Amino acid sequence: MDLGWDESVYLSQVDPRTPAAYFSAPRSRGISFLAAPVVALTASTTALRVTLVLLSSAALYGAFAVWRPLLGRGRTALAAALFAGLWITVLSGPEVMPNLWIALAAVAATGFFLRARARGGAGSRSTEGRTLAGLAATLAAAALLRAPDAVWLALPLLLTCATVRAWRRLRVVAAVLGGLAAGGAQWAVEAYVRFGGIARRLADSSDTEGGMGAHLGAGLTAARRSLNGPQLCRPCRIANPSVTHSLWWLLLPVLVAAACALALRKGRAGGGERKDTRAAVLLPVACALSLAAPYLLLLDYSAPRFLLPAYALLALPVADLAARAPAAFRAGPRRWAVAAALCAVLAAHLSVQLKELRVNTADARDTAVRYQRAAEGLRRLGLSAPCTVTGPRAQPIAYAAGCASAQTMGNNRSTTEAALARTARRMPMAVLYDPADAYLPPYARTWHPHELRGTGWIAYVP
């Protein structure tokens, strides 16, 4: 696939070949830093995709490997497979987007937190030190990737430290707060430099998101409708997905509730090992609910990637429940029948996810191809760096053409029409016009229109 809209924004911040696009308040720069070494070496999108596939695969393995001492190898592997089998997980692997990486950081951080509960970690001060360092590092990574999400992830961890005696340890609290501070420092400094402070940046973020507030029904409805795409549903007025392709999503709360009920029942039976198992089920559920809450309750639109951190964490208790189900029957034909039924359900689930992956990959590719065609059309019109592109979809098209982008309205407003009129007198410039939007700036109404073949858009140039 060629690059998408958000990818072009993140990459433009570190690409030495193109001007940086406007970076709005809700964004964080962690994913730009991750891609920076590749972008510095090559302009090849293929090289970038392959590198991110390898890195995200290694991160998937490493994040879930943290859970081996807590759930065992088999259940940990099953949890990783459940998460990796979702179409949005596979599609996000090679993309320059932060949500998958936040999900993996959340899985690792929660696992390190649970492993740090016992005094001395796994029995030695050096092991405890490595565990706490892992906790701080993964929380720092989450904060660098998306600072507000890292805070939502840390809230259940800090609440556990405050309310559960076994976790009431200064070193654990220091690791959580230290990781947040280290990863969030860049975001906080930028808040003061560019937006006038943290409170102002959060307010600007809310405005960009359409006003974050109590959207209880709208957020849940949008999440359900966008379960199988599109990758951004805003405004989300599409029909609900078919039951067969959304049944897993509807059953997920039931499975999680069953896993929690089973863990609580076993926890009441006593025993340190059973209490550890109870925590290994309940804490990821608490963190998943905390990370999902702002996207389900505070926004009136959705995107499948928003819930990736919640899906990753909920895969752990679901895998634990699935592994326990056959064991509830005595050894014999009944146990084998239950195991076979679970395998059949998993196979059906993966076949549905594969179909959705193909559909959404094709949609993403078609959109990116339109951006490339538009950029090629602008180059044929004589636009070359330094140049500026404005209008609908200016950011990804300008990046593909090697130009700067600018907007006078919308979420990425960064200049005025008067300033753009002055810019047109000193460098090549194009105004993108979408007939569906039906707005052309006054300064461009005497310019020459040129149809950008294969896109449905028109470029106006002086």
Side-chain angles (χ1 to χ4, degrees):
M1 295 186 301
D2 289 317
L3 298 171
W5 187 321
D6 292 281
E7 291 183 295
S8 68
V9 175
Y10 287 119
L11 287 176
S12 72
Q13 310 303 309
V14 292
D15 191 337
R17 304 166 196 83
T18 59
Y22 177 72
F23 204 75
S24 60
R27 300 186 187 275
S28 296
R29 297 184 181 269
I31 194 66
S32 299
F33 298 151
L34 182 68
V38 183
V39 176
L41 293 174
T42 176
S44 169
T45 302
T46 301
L48 179 66
R49 297 287 191 215
V50 172
T51 301
L52 288 176
V53 163
L54 296 174
L55 288 176
S56 59
S57 298
L60 174 78
Y61 178 87
F64 280 91
V66 175
W67 283 80
R68 281 179 182 167
L70 300 165
L71 293 180
R73 294 175 64 90
R75 293 173 189 177
T76 301
L78 178 57
L82 289 173
F83 178 61
L86 297 176
W87 72 264
I88 185 59
T89 305
V90 180
L91 188 59
S92 298
E95 288 188 321
V96 190
M97 298 291 284
N99 308 83
L100 173 63
W101 296 90
I102 297 167
L104 299 177
V107 168
T110 309
F112 280 126
F113 181 86
L114 286 166
R115 290 173 59 173
R117 181 187 71 85
R119 268 179 299 181
S124 70
R125 185 167 292 275
S126 62
T127 302
E128 181 187 28
R130 289 194 296 270
T131 301
L132 293 174
L135 173 60
T138 47
L139 278 170
L144 194 60
L145 287 160
R146 197 167 183 85
D149 282 7
V151 174
W152 286 101
L153 169 62
L155 285 177
L157 306 182
L158 294 173
L159 184 61
T160 302
C161 290
T163 57
V164 181
R165 181 175 298 178
W167 273 282
R168 204 172 295 162
R169 300 175 56 224
L170 183 60
R171 288 165 64 88
V172 176
V173 176
V176 173
L177 295 178
L180 281 180
Q186 187 278 329
W187 184 92
V189 170
E190 185 177 18
Y192 283 98
V193 171
R194 291 187 56 214
F195 300 98
I198 292 176
R200 185 67 258 169
R201 181 169 191 173
L202 292 174
D204 288 351
S205 297
S206 176
D207 292 341
T208 301
E209 303 291 4
M212 296 185 71
H215 298 290
L216 308 185
L220 286 167
T221 301
R224 162 124 168 86
R225 288 177 175 172
S226 65
L227 175 63
N228 295 325
Q231 290 202 64
L232 180 64
C233 196
R234 183 180 190 182
C236 204
R237 295 169 183 160
I238 61 175
N240 286 321
S242 65
V243 174
T244 55
H245 283 216
S246 58
L247 188 59
W248 74 268
W249 197 78
L250 299 173
L251 287 177
L252 186 59
V254 178
L255 296 174
V256 171
C260 291
L262 182 62
L264 288 171
R265 189 178 70 180
K266 287 185 173 294
R268 282 195 293 270
E273 183 179 349
R274 289 176 177 174
K275 289 181 179 178
D276 289 346
T277 302
R278 179 177 63 177
V281 170
L282 298 180
L283 188 61
V285 172
C287 292
L289 292 176
S290 181
L291 281 163
Y295 296 106
L296 293 178
L297 305 179
L298 302 181
L299 296 179
D300 62 356
Y301 72 98
S302 189
R305 65 180 182 270
F306 288 171
L307 297 181
L308 274 172
Y311 296 153
L313 288 163
L314 293 179
L316 295 158
V318 171
D320 182 70
L321 178 68
R324 291 182 186 277
F329 299 87
R330 292 181 180 179
R334 216 176 259 187
R335 178 179 292 185
W336 283 106
V338 171
L342 288 173
C343 289
V345 168
L346 179 60
H349 169 68
L350 292 178
S351 68
V352 168
Q353 295 303 306
L354 179 60
K355 181 177 180 180
E356 295 300 338
L357 174 64
R358 288 171 174 165
V359 170
N360 282 279
T361 302
D363 287 346
R365 186 183 295 115
D366 290 345
T367 300
V369 164
R370 289 181 75 193
Y371 296 154
Q372 288 293 329
R373 287 173 180 167
E376 292 167 3
L378 293 180
R379 284 193 287 267
R380 286 195 294 269
L381 293 176
L383 261 74
S384 60
C387 49
T388 299
V389 180
T390 186
R393 303 167 188 84
Q395 287 178 310
I397 295 171
Y399 181 77
C403 300
S405 60
Q407 297 285 16
T408 59
M409 60 183 67
N411 297 335
N412 299 300
R413 183 174 61 252
S414 59
T415 188
T416 64
E417 291 187 354
L420 286 178
R422 292 192 296 270
T423 299
R425 290 194 284 269
R426 58 182 177 83
M427 72 167 62
M429 182 173 166
V431 173
L432 297 173
Y433 178 74
D434 186 344
D437 292 336
Y439 175 77
L440 186 66
Y443 62 83
R445 290 172 186 171
T446 58
W447 293 5
H448 301 289
H450 299 269
E451 182 180 354
L452 300 174
R453 292 194 299 271
T455 68
W457 306 322
I458 298 171
Y460 280 78
V461 297

